[in-house]
Amino acid sequence: GVELSRAAVARDLEDLGACVVEATGKAFDPEVMEAVSVVEAPEGEDGLVVEQVSVGLTGPGGNIRPARVIVQRCREQGLGQE
């Protein structure tokens, strides 16, 4: 029941020109994403989306709903530390 409803809604949104925002593993984009949390990482790319908390949607007229995401912030290592 729930899966059929979800599929029907997704199909209807697609017919209207809406697209799902795929954010995990991409650079944070404030135009289509909303950061709900920031996590510290010892290394890696600063501003990388590490987890998508909720689905975002864009349409022909722009952003319908931002994807809610968790963004990575990298600690600087080795600067002034001995």
Side-chain angles (χ1 to χ4, degrees), residues 60-82:
N63 199 21
I64 296 171
R65 181 174 87 177
R68 300 184 78 201
V69 299
I70 298 174
V71 181
Q72 174 177 282
R73 177 174 46 209
C74 297
R75 289 183 234 148
E76 295 180 0
Q77 291 189 11
L79 296 177
Q81 298 175 359
E82 293 291 322

Side-chain angles (χ1 to χ4, degrees), residues 7-68:
V9 168
R11 194 171 42 254
D12 290 343
L13 286 170
E14 188 175 297
D15 289 344
L16 294 171
C19 297
V20 173
V21 175
E22 299 291 339
T24 303
K26 297 185 179 170
F28 177 73
D29 180 358
E31 294 293 321
V32 294
M33 300 173 197
E34 175 186 355
V36 295
S37 184
V38 176
V39 295
E40 294 283 334
E43 58 185 38
E45 186 180 336
D46 205 34
L48 187 70
V49 175
V50 294
E51 184 177 344
Q52 186 165 335
V53 178
S54 68
V55 174
L57 298 169
T58 60
N63 199 21
I64 296 171
R65 181 174 87 177
R68 300 184 78 201

